[in-house]
Amino acid sequence: MHPTDEELAGAYAERGDDHAFRILVERHQEKVYGYLLGMVRDRAVADDLFQETFIRVIAALRKDRGSYHHQGRFLGWIMRIARNAALDHLRTRKKWQDVPDNEDFSWWDTLPADDLPTDDVLQAGQEADILMACIDRLPPEQREVVLLRHESDLTFREIAALTDCSINTALGRMRYALLNLRKMLEVTELPVGA
Amino acid sequence: MEDQRKQTLLHLYDEPREDSDLRALLADASVRDEYRTLSEVKFKLDRRPAVRPDAEVLDRIMAAATAPPSAQRTDRPAVHRFMRPRRLLFSGLAVAAALVLAVALGWFSTPDPETVPGTTPPALAADTELSWDDATHIRQVYRRMDSMRPQSPLSWDEPPVPLESLPSGRPGNLVPVGAN
């Protein structure tokens, strides 16, 4: 029988069980990292944010044992920390983009383009890359709901709590995200049902 | 209708409400078409391969997890700056040092009365015999002046008079002006 997240976290916080913490990290690494990579779209940055997330988790567990119990599932607690780290990074990046030091650089270039993924991406022929490129083109709110649901495996109730909106709003964002992805995939001639 | 579509979405992700019946929701053709469309996209999203962080990242995290808590950065408790004893001690020492420095500067910057001209007491000036008063030629001049004074009816303090008005018996080498 596999120990629960709460049992593993308690073993680390109370007894310093490093093995228990390693199991926790390995159990959730794909959920946390998939979300972070989808948010920042850069593997090196996602690596840094992933490390920062778990460093914060370590500090929190040592400082206040079991503080996540009051915030629902352990995964939801970690995802809140990861989301804060990602948003901090995105805010910092936006601040730097607002003040470009190159005169040839245009602020308008930082805005998401309305066109579809480029031919280079399409010719890569990899379904995952095409899908990721389509997800990148979604509005930020819709993209985040898709990532939290499909990468992090959070429920819509948890997504609503994490993003500070109602469940109906989270469901609406997910629905429009899927419909938009369908349109993009049709244009790229990727067989949707394949 | 909008709520029905959201209900089907909850069924699609295995989070249906207890009182929700998918079969009843899909009775409408448009809802059924959208449900099929959303299912296809979800199927593709579910097939995406999972991504993992670099192995070195995991090693660094575990190194931090096994490190003693003291090795990690900790925030010191906030202390009111005016209540810190060390700061109070340093402030007191600084004030004392400034006072000592000011007193010392005032002491050494006061002028010495002996070195300032015009401040010598009169009694001291009268009793003092300067070194150049002892010179031999000066003494000779004084003696000559004293020997000449009884022979002349003039006094040093009287106004000058012409030589003709002087009485006879004057020195022979003196020639009156009208003699020319």
Side-chain angles (χ1 to χ4, degrees), chain B residues 45-116:
Chain B
L45 288 172
D46 287 339
R47 283 194 356 175
R48 292 176 61 232
V51 287
R52 291 184 174 183
D54 193 90
E56 292 181 359
V57 176
L58 293 182
D59 293 339
R60 286 198 291 268
I61 291 173
M62 289 314 300
T66 56
S70 59
Q72 291 191 331
R73 185 188 65 185
T74 55
D75 296 331
R76 64 169 175 78
V79 178
H80 196 283
R81 60 175 180 168
F82 294 114
M83 297 300 290
R84 296 174 63 184
R86 182 172 294 181
R87 181 179 292 273
L88 281 176
L89 176 64
F90 285 151
S91 301
L93 287 176
V95 170
L99 284 174
V100 169
L101 186 62
V103 170
L105 283 176
W107 179 268
F108 287 110
S109 63
T110 303
D112 187 358
E114 297 180 356
T115 60
V116 176

Side-chain angles (χ1 to χ4, degrees), chain B:
Chain B
M1 185 66 70
E2 185 80 9
D3 186 62
Q4 286 183 341
R5 297 179 191 276
K6 290 178 182 176
Q7 291 291 325
T8 61
L9 197 61
L10 284 173
H11 280 280
L12 186 62
Y13 282 93
D14 294 328
E15 301 177 37
R17 295 173 184 168
E18 293 181 357
D19 57 345
S20 176
D21 182 9
L22 179 61
R23 187 170 299 177
L25 292 171
L26 296 181
D28 185 271
S30 62
V31 175
R32 190 168 56 249
D33 289 344
E34 182 176 302
Y35 180 79
R36 187 185 307 114
T37 299
L38 298 183
S39 300
E40 292 170 350
V41 179
K42 178 181 180 296
F43 177 75
K44 293 195 69 65
L45 288 172
D46 287 339
R47 283 194 356 175
R48 292 176 61 232
V51 287
R52 291 184 174 183
D54 193 90
E56 292 181 359
V57 176
L58 293 182
D59 293 339
R60 286 198 291 268
I61 291 173
M62 289 314 300
T66 56
S70 59
Q72 291 191 331
R73 185 188 65 185
T74 55
D75 296 331
R76 64 169 175 78
V79 178
H80 196 283
R81 60 175 180 168
F82 294 114
M83 297 300 290
R84 296 174 63 184
R86 182 172 294 181
R87 181 179 292 273
L88 281 176
L89 176 64
F90 285 151
S91 301
L93 287 176
V95 170
L99 284 174
V100 169
L101 186 62
V103 170
L105 283 176
W107 179 268
F108 287 110
S109 63
T110 303
D112 187 358
E114 297 180 356
T115 60
V116 176
T119 59
T120 305
L124 182 62
D127 297 339
T128 302
E129 185 176 0
L130 300 179
S131 59
W132 47 266
D133 288 344
D134 295 335
T136 304
H137 66 282
I138 296 296
R139 289 181 177 176
Q140 290 175 353
V141 169
Y142 276 117
R143 276 198 296 270
R144 186 161 186 171
M145 289 174 66
D146 289 341
S147 62
M148 290 175 65
R149 185 169 295 168
Q151 299 176 6
S152 173
L154 300 178
S155 173
W156 289 104
D157 298 331
E158 292 178 355
V161 295
L163 288 176
E164 291 79 358
S165 64
L166 292 175
S168 58
R170 60 181 177 271
N173 58 347
L174 290 178
V175 178
V177 176
N180 295 327

Side-chain angles (χ1 to χ4, degrees), chain A residues 13-84:
Chain A
E14 295 169 8
R15 301 190 301 273
D17 189 345
D18 303 334
H19 181 67
F21 188 77
R22 174 176 281 278
I23 294 175
L24 265 181
V25 176
E26 291 178 348
R27 180 180 291 178
H28 296 298
Q29 60 177 336
E30 294 173 354
K31 297 171 183 174
V32 177
Y33 189 76
Y35 166 78
L36 290 172
L37 183 59
M39 290 291 284
V40 301
R41 310 169 205 179
D42 184 297
R43 287 196 73 96
V45 175
D47 282 339
D48 289 343
L49 294 177
F50 182 83
Q51 178 176 322
E52 184 181 341
T53 297
F54 278 95
I55 294 297
R56 292 185 188 182
V57 169
I58 293 170
L61 286 177
R62 285 176 169 175
K63 183 180 180 183
D64 184 13
R65 296 177 181 179
S67 61
Y68 57 87
H69 283 307
H70 306 289
Q71 304 180 35
R73 272 205 305 166
F74 183 80
L75 177 61
W77 180 65
I78 290 185
M79 289 310 302
R80 182 175 294 278
I81 296 174
R83 184 173 187 260
N84 288 338

Side-chain angles (χ1 to χ4, degrees), chain A residues 9 42 71 93 119 130 141 158 194:
Chain A
D42 184 297
Q71 304 180 35
R93 192 176 69 177
D119 291 338
I130 295 173
E141 297 84 1
E158 289 170 330

Side-chain angles (χ1 to χ4, degrees), chain A residues 45-158:
Chain A
V45 175
D47 282 339
D48 289 343
L49 294 177
F50 182 83
Q51 178 176 322
E52 184 181 341
T53 297
F54 278 95
I55 294 297
R56 292 185 188 182
V57 169
I58 293 170
L61 286 177
R62 285 176 169 175
K63 183 180 180 183
D64 184 13
R65 296 177 181 179
S67 61
Y68 57 87
H69 283 307
H70 306 289
Q71 304 180 35
R73 272 205 305 166
F74 183 80
L75 177 61
W77 180 65
I78 290 185
M79 289 310 302
R80 182 175 294 278
I81 296 174
R83 184 173 187 260
N84 288 338
L87 293 184
D88 287 345
H89 167 78
L90 294 175
R91 286 193 199 100
T92 306
R93 192 176 69 177
K94 182 179 184 307
K95 189 187 298 180
W96 283 103
Q97 286 177 346
D98 285 345
V99 189
D101 56 357
N102 185 358
E103 292 182 356
D104 298 332
F105 179 87
S106 172
W107 179 81
W108 296 100
D109 293 337
T110 66
L111 297 177
D114 293 329
D115 54 359
L116 293 167
T118 60
D119 291 338
D120 291 338
V121 175
L122 298 178
Q123 289 173 2
Q126 295 187 359
E127 190 176 306
D129 290 343
I130 295 173
L131 254 179
M132 196 64 224
C134 292
I135 292 173
D136 286 347
R137 303 289 167 178
L138 290 173
E141 297 84 1
Q142 295 178 21
R143 183 172 71 243
E144 186 174 35
V145 173
V146 170
L147 293 172
L148 288 173
R149 188 63 188 83
H150 280 271
E151 299 289 347
S152 307
D153 203 23
L154 294 186
T155 65
F156 286 109
R157 183 178 298 278
E158 289 170 330

